[in-house]
């Protein structure tokens, strides 16, 4: 087999890149870790080319051992980059040296794929009403149109992968054509032979590299489902996100509406569902009476309510078991999944496990929600993820304060019994002080709890105008992102220029990012998802705005529990939890700006505490070494110069048509019959930039012509106010107020369309 250096050199040339010392150092470190069966943590700054640095050793190991290497990422954007860009070019480049073309595949959870059985009517309780509405009047509503699109797309897609569908559809529509792992009938399903999920996983067994996400990898590790083929090398990219993603994966919840819905699903299949309904009513009364926030112990009233849920669902579980020799149909599987989830979650809370944190939250749509999550996943990761394979953890942000210890501790790599590991920082090839400015708007008031101040909105407007658009706005909450978007749409009318604004939630993230990257006069505002994994090199992004230091909320149950635990042991809970969390987020957010050697721009921090707080130095040291300043006029002048001299935006890669494995059609394992150039992937026209004008505002919600039209469609279909509110994800009183303003009346009986 060719040497690592030869393969890396060929791959770098193949992708049109430049070999960098940090990339070479990292590639050899990965190869060495595999050879020694030793875990590795690698901090590799933006521009290092870390994906090639781990993919080349991974391919070498896979072809040598006959076992695939698994690569897990936190974001869909990085998954797409690896499968759509890196691996195809890498495979083409190194195949002559290997004598065999590397193969690769993409594996996701079931909810990301179409369910063939559900499309055929195998789950009538879920889909009948929605499809009926769509077939009766295809133009009646946006939801109906989405379902018709899904059914038409299902006839042509080879992969069934949701990300292939552009423009995307709402989560409500997608649920009508997909199932969860618990709802799936498995090998007993009548459509098993045509199952997109099973076909992709079977094909992945023969791949050299399998790409998946943190959550899927964690479930496979923790629950022993063996959804991934046997492997002895795992690479975790975006590893700074692993702990949060794993924690989220094993967080459970219970709501009264979940209990009622489970009773409804089991209603025609079991006799004891009335008792389950009664337990839902009792639970709601108890939860509504509890204060929002972390619970220090389970109150007697809640313990009694949960015991009722547990005991009544246990009885329904028994009744839902099919007769011996009879396979459950789709409706029974869905009912079983819903009832099982409630039984398991209520039992878990009542167990009061040592590390579990339990809290109550209020949701605008769902009411009171009871959640339970582990305070720490360190030992779980140590035993289940690091236990029986070589693991390489990599990210641009793993080292804080000059050491890997903080991050390593959260992953179970410190303390008695911890496995051997090595930490390595290979640096970044960029000249950060020459390429970027770190601007702190020190003149602004400290952020408060009442939303964005007028001074902050003025600052955003001035910065965006100077930059000519080209702005990625990273906000600490969706409320702030939406507030800023609406304010800027009002301030930048069509008469004044062509600058447009997009906001997270208006379409799928990948679609919004592509729109932002195509048009330099477009700004994209959002929250957590945009703080990482967004890769927009070139002139489309020359300004990154961060509205405030992204501390966890003071009342965040997990963060507060972790801080208290550290304080009890004599540590500094604020610095160990809150400041560390903020440092990681700030580093990731600031890293969105400089993506290649010729990028230039400004990261603007609209939080004066970045200069004045006692912890400011710690946060500053966690950022890339940009040139720092508080001089507003100098920054505005720099942005104007960058706008005037900006090159055209970098070409945007469109979504790929995927084969069974998730690889591109026309590439390795992506399909064999047709040439992609001759049969390009059909992509819908990009939606126009959002209009700045609004039709009305009711209780703080800005209505557009599009949402007004959706209201009219819903009324014509006979939908009730509650159903319209659920569809639009708005409070019923806000919807009712707008209906009154339009002279509409929603008095029709409820239909199955939105159940």
């Amino acid at each position: 087999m060719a040497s690592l250096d030869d393969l890396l050199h060929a791959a770098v040339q193949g992708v049109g890149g430049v070999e960098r010392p940090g990339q070479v150092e990292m590639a050899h470190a990965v190869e060495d870790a595999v050879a020694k069966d030793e875990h590795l943590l690698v901090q590799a700054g933006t521009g290092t080319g870390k994906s090639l640095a781990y993919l080349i050793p991974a391919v070498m190991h896979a072809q040598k051992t006959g076992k695939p290497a698994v690569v897990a990422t936190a974001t869909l954007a990085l998954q797409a980059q690896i499968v759509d860009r890196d691996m195809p070019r890498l495979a083409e480049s190194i195949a002559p040296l290997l004598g065999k073309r590397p193969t690769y595949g993409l594996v996701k959870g079931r909810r990301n794929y179409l369910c063939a059985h559900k499309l055929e009517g195998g789950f009538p309780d879920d889909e009948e009403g929605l499809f009926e509405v769509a077939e009766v009047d295809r133009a009646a509503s946006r939801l109906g149109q989405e379902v018709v699109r899904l059914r038409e797309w299902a006839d042509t897609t080879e992969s069934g992968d949701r990300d292939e569908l552009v423009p995307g559809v709402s989560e409500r529509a997608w649920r009508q054509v997909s199932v969860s792992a618990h709802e799936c009938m498995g090998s007993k399903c009548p459509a098993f032979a045509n199952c997109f999920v099973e076909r992709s996983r079977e094909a992945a067994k023969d791949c050299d590299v399998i790409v998946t996400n943190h959550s899927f990898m964690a479930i496979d590790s923790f629950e022993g489902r063996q959804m991934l083929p046997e492997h002895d090398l795992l690479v975790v990219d975006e590893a700074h996100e692993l702990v949060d993603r794993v924690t989220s994966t094993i967080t459970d919840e219970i709501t009264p509406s979940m209990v009622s819905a489970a009773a409804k699903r089991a209603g025609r299949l079991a006799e004891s569902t009335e008792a389950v309904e009664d337990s839902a009513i009792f639970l709601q009364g108890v939860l509504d009476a509890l204060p929002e926030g972390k619970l220090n112990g389970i109150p007697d009233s809640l313990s009694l309510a949960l015991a009722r849920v547990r005991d009544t669902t246990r009885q329904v579980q028994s009744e839902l078991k099919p007769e011996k020799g009879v396979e459950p149909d789709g409706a029974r599987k869905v009912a079983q999944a819903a009832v099982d989830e409630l039984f398991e979650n209520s039992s878990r809370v009542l167990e009061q496990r040592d590390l579990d944190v339990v809290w109550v939250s209020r949701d605008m749509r769902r009411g009171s929600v009871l959640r339970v999550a582990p305070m720490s996943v360190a030992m779980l990761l140590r035993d289940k993820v690091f236990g029986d394979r070589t693991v390489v953890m990599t990210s641009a942000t793993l080292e804080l304060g000059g050491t890997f210890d903080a991050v390593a501790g959260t992953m179970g790599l410190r303390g008695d019994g911890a496995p051997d590991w090595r930490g390595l920082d290979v640096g970044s090839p960029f000249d950060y002080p020459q390429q970027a400015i770190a601007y702190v708007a020190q003149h602004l008031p400290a952020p408060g709890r009442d939303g964005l101040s007028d001074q902050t909105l003025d600052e955003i407007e001035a910065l965006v105008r100077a930059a000519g658009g080209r702005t990625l706005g990273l906000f600490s909450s969706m409320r702030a992102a939406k507030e800023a978007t609406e304010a800027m749409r009002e301030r930048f009318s069509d008469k004044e220029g062509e600058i447009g604004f997009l906001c997270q939630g208006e379409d799928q993230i990948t679609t919004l990012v592509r729109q932002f990257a195509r048009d330099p006069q477009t700004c994209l505002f959002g929250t957590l998802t945009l703080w990482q994994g967004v890769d927009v090199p070139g002139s489309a992004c020359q300004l990154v705005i961060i509205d405030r230091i992204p501390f966890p909320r003071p009342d965040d149950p997990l963060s507060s529990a972790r801080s208290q635990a550290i304080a009890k042991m004599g540590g500094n809970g604020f610095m160990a939890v809150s400041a560390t969390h903020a440092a990681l987020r700030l580093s990731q957010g600031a890293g969105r700006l400089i993506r290649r050697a010729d990028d230039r721009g400004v990261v603007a921090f609209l939080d004066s505490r970045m200069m004045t707080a006692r912890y400011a130095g710690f946060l500053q040291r966690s950022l890339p070494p940009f040139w720092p300043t508080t001089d507003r006029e100098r920054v505005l002048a720099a942005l104007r110069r960058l706008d005037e001299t900006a090159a055209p935006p970098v070409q945007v890669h469109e979504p790929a048509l995927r084969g069974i494995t998730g690889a591109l059609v026309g590439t390795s394992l992506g399909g064999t019959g047709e040439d992609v150039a001759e049969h390009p992937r059909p992509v819908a026209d990009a939606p126009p930039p959002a209009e700045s004008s609004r039709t009305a505002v009711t209780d703080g919600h800005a209505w557009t012509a599009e949402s007004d039209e959706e209201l009219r469609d819903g009324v014509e279909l006979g939908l009730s106010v509650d159903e319209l509110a659920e569809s639009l994800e708005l409070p019923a009183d806000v919807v009712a107020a707008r209906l009154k303003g339009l002279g509409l009346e929603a008095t029709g009986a409820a239909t199955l369309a939105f159940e």
Side-chain angles (χ1 to χ4, degrees):
M1 181 181 289
S3 70
L4 172 63
D5 288 327
D6 290 340
L7 292 172
L8 183 59
H9 180 71
V12 170
Q13 287 189 320
V15 301
V18 177
E19 204 166 281
R20 303 186 186 281
Q23 183 183 56
V24 175
E25 183 181 8
M26 177 176 171
H28 279 279
V30 174
E31 183 184 46
D32 189 51
V34 173
K36 295 179 178 178
D37 193 20
E38 180 182 70
H39 304 307
L40 176 67
L41 274 62
V42 186
Q43 177 163 288
T46 305
T48 302
K50 68 178 183 296
S51 58
L52 289 187
Y54 62 68
L55 287 172
I56 294 294
V59 168
M60 293 176 66
H61 177 71
Q63 294 205 352
K64 178 181 178 181
T65 63
K67 295 180 181 179
V70 173
V71 176
T73 75
T75 61
L76 292 173
L78 183 54
Q79 285 181 41
Q81 175 190 316
I82 294 171
V83 174
D84 297 346
R85 294 164 56 186
D86 294 342
M87 279 304 302
R89 292 186 286 183
L90 177 153
E92 186 73 28
S93 303
I94 68 176
L97 295 176
L98 290 174
K100 176 185 177 183
R101 185 184 180 88
T103 56
Y104 53 94
L106 179 64
V107 175
K108 303 179 183 179
R110 288 188 184 274
R111 273 292 186 199
N112 293 282
Y113 297 92
L114 289 170
C115 172
H117 187 41
K118 201 164 192 177
L119 285 166
E120 295 168 2
F123 294 79
D125 285 347
D126 264 11
E127 86 178 329
E128 181 180 355
L130 191 61
F131 282 146
E132 183 179 325
V133 170
E135 293 300 330
V136 168
D137 187 355
R138 294 189 175 202
S141 70
R142 182 191 304 173
L143 188 61
Q145 291 174 336
E146 287 181 331
V147 174
V148 172
R149 277 187 62 221
L150 282 167
R151 300 201 75 169
E152 292 172 347
W153 174 63
D155 291 333
T156 61
T157 179
E158 184 179 350
S159 71
D161 185 341
R162 180 180 183 177
D163 285 339
E164 185 184 306
L165 182 65
V166 177
V169 296
S170 66
E171 182 63 26
R172 181 175 300 279
W174 184 255
R175 285 201 301 267
Q176 310 307 311
V177 297
S178 64
V179 297
S180 68
H182 291 295
E183 295 168 344
C184 176
M185 298 172 67
S187 60
K188 306 299 183 183
C189 177
F192 185 75
N194 297 320
C195 177
F196 291 113
V197 176
E198 296 302 328
R199 289 166 61 195
S200 70
R201 293 181 186 175
E202 185 62 30
K205 292 179 181 178
D206 297 322
C207 293
D208 294 320
V209 174
I210 297 172
V211 182
T212 187
N213 58 60
H214 289 181
S215 297
F216 190 88
M217 178 275 296
I219 293 171
D220 181 72
S221 300
F222 299 162
E223 301 187 9
R225 293 182 183 175
Q226 297 184 325
M227 299 178 294
L228 292 169
E230 182 183 350
H231 59 280
D232 55 15
L233 173 59
L234 168 66
V235 178
V236 179
D237 204 340
E238 301 175 310
H240 63 281
E241 277 294 305
L242 181 64
V243 169
D244 284 347
R245 298 296 172 120
V246 169
T247 301
S248 178
T249 298
I250 55 179
T251 296
D252 291 323
E253 65 179 30
I254 302 174
T255 68
S257 60
M258 286 173 62
V259 182
S260 296
K264 181 179 178 182
R265 291 184 185 280
R268 292 195 295 269
L269 303 168
E271 298 178 355
S272 303
T273 55
E274 187 175 342
V276 178
E277 281 279 14
D278 290 342
S279 74
I281 296 171
F282 185 35
L283 177 65
Q284 180 158 356
V286 171
L287 287 180
D288 289 349
L290 290 174
E292 190 171 12
K294 183 164 66 74
L295 299 178
N296 296 314
I298 307 299
D300 291 341
S301 59
L302 180 58
S303 181
L304 180 59
L306 291 173
R308 285 194 186 180
V309 173
R310 179 196 61 195
D311 296 342
T312 55
T313 52
R314 179 194 289 140
Q315 176 61 35
V316 174
Q317 280 180 319
S318 300
E319 296 175 12
L320 286 175
K321 290 181 180 178
E323 296 179 9
K324 189 174 182 179
V326 177
E327 296 299 334
D329 59 14
R332 188 175 295 272
K333 283 291 292 184
V334 170
Q336 286 177 321
V339 172
D340 288 350
E341 181 180 16
L342 287 169
F343 174 76
E344 292 165 4
N345 293 359
S346 57
S347 299
R348 175 181 175 181
V349 177
L350 288 168
E351 285 177 26
Q352 300 190 58
R353 302 173 188 172
D354 288 342
L355 288 178
D356 270 353
V357 179
V358 181
W359 70 96
V360 176
S361 59
R362 310 280 186 238
D363 185 276
M364 185 176 69
R365 294 179 60 222
R366 304 165 69 202
S368 298
V369 181
L370 183 70
R371 291 190 170 92
V372 56
M375 182 171 61
S376 170
V377 294
M379 292 302 102
L380 195 58
L381 289 173
R382 177 191 291 188
D383 295 339
K384 301 295 186 180
V385 173
F386 291 94
D388 57 356
R389 55 192 162 190
T390 300
V391 180
V392 175
M393 297 277 177
T394 185
S395 167
T397 314
L398 285 181
E399 195 175 31
L400 294 174
T403 175
F404 289 93
D405 286 350
V407 172
T410 64
M411 295 178 180
L413 296 179
R414 297 186 65 196
D416 294 340
D420 293 334
W421 60 278
R422 174 190 173 203
L424 174 66
D425 181 1
V426 299
S428 171
F430 296 152
D431 187 353
Y432 284 123
Q434 293 296 317
Q435 291 184 245
I437 296 172
Y439 164 58
V440 178
Q442 193 172 359
H443 61 284
L444 293 178
R449 295 186 177 182
D450 299 326
L452 300 173
S453 67
D454 289 340
Q455 298 99 310
T456 298
L457 291 173
D458 291 343
E459 189 76 5
I460 294 173
E461 179 185 356
L463 290 165
V464 170
R465 286 192 187 281
R470 311 178 191 277
T471 303
L472 179 65
L474 304 178
F475 294 84
S476 55
S477 69
M478 273 307 302
R479 173 189 170 192
K482 290 178 179 178
E483 182 183 353
T485 302
E486 286 299 322
M488 293 306 111
R489 284 174 177 167
E490 288 183 352
R491 297 180 182 213
F492 288 80
S493 68
D494 291 338
K495 295 179 181 179
E496 295 179 11
E498 299 297 326
I499 295 177
F501 294 85
L502 303 171
C503 187
Q504 182 179 338
E506 294 175 344
D507 205 328
Q508 291 194 99
I509 289 294
T510 51
T511 303
L512 291 172
V513 171
R514 282 194 297 271
Q515 288 179 247
F516 171 58
R518 284 192 199 101
D519 184 1
Q521 292 182 302
T522 293
C523 304
L524 174 59
F525 290 175
T527 184
L528 183 60
T529 307
L530 298 183
W531 284 72
Q532 66 224 343
V534 173
D535 187 7
V536 181
S539 63
C541 182
Q542 294 186 337
L543 170 63
V544 173
I545 293 176
I546 295 176
D547 71 325
R548 64 190 300 160
I549 298 171
F551 291 122
R553 288 176 47 177
D555 59 353
D556 178 82
L558 287 174
S559 295
S560 61
R562 290 165 181 162
S563 294
Q564 291 168 11
I566 291 170
K568 286 180 181 178
M569 295 185 292
N572 186 324
F574 172 80
M575 291 303 295
V577 178
S578 297
T580 297
H581 176 278
L584 286 168
R585 287 281 176 263
L586 286 172
S587 180
Q588 286 293 313
R592 299 310 97 204
L593 180 67
I594 303 300
R595 309 304 297 174
R596 61 184 195 180
D598 58 350
D599 282 349
R600 301 289 187 274
V602 173
V603 177
F605 301 94
L606 309 186
D607 190 333
S608 57
R609 293 174 297 176
M610 285 291 295
M611 294 293 294
T612 60
R614 56 183 171 80
Y615 47 79
F618 173 75
L619 298 180
Q620 292 168 13
R621 288 192 298 273
S622 299
L623 296 170
F626 299 151
W627 187 78
T629 186
T630 58
D631 189 330
R632 183 174 188 264
E633 293 307 316
R634 177 173 290 187
V635 168
L636 294 177
L639 287 171
R640 293 188 194 102
R641 287 194 300 273
L642 287 173
D643 180 39
E644 292 168 359
T645 60
V650 176
Q651 182 180 358
V652 177
H653 293 272
E654 295 297 345
L657 183 62
R658 302 189 188 281
I660 294 173
T661 64
L664 293 178
V665 169
T667 64
S668 174
L669 289 186
T672 57
E674 299 181 335
D675 184 84
V676 177
E678 295 178 8
H679 301 276
R681 185 234 188 285
V683 179
D685 292 337
E691 296 291 336
S692 60
S693 59
R694 302 170 300 175
T695 59
V697 177
T698 55
D699 289 352
H701 176 72
W703 293 90
T704 64
E706 185 180 39
S707 52
D708 282 349
E709 187 62 31
E710 188 166 357
L711 281 180
R712 293 187 179 93
D713 290 340
V715 170
E716 289 177 10
L717 283 170
L719 302 181
S720 67
V721 172
D722 287 341
E723 289 170 325
L724 288 168
E726 186 176 1
S727 172
L728 293 167
E729 299 186 353
L730 291 171
D733 56 345
V734 174
V735 173
R738 184 55 185 152
L739 286 171
K740 183 178 180 180
L742 293 171
L744 299 173
E745 188 173 358
T747 58
T751 72
L752 291 174
F754 293 91
E755 289 181 358

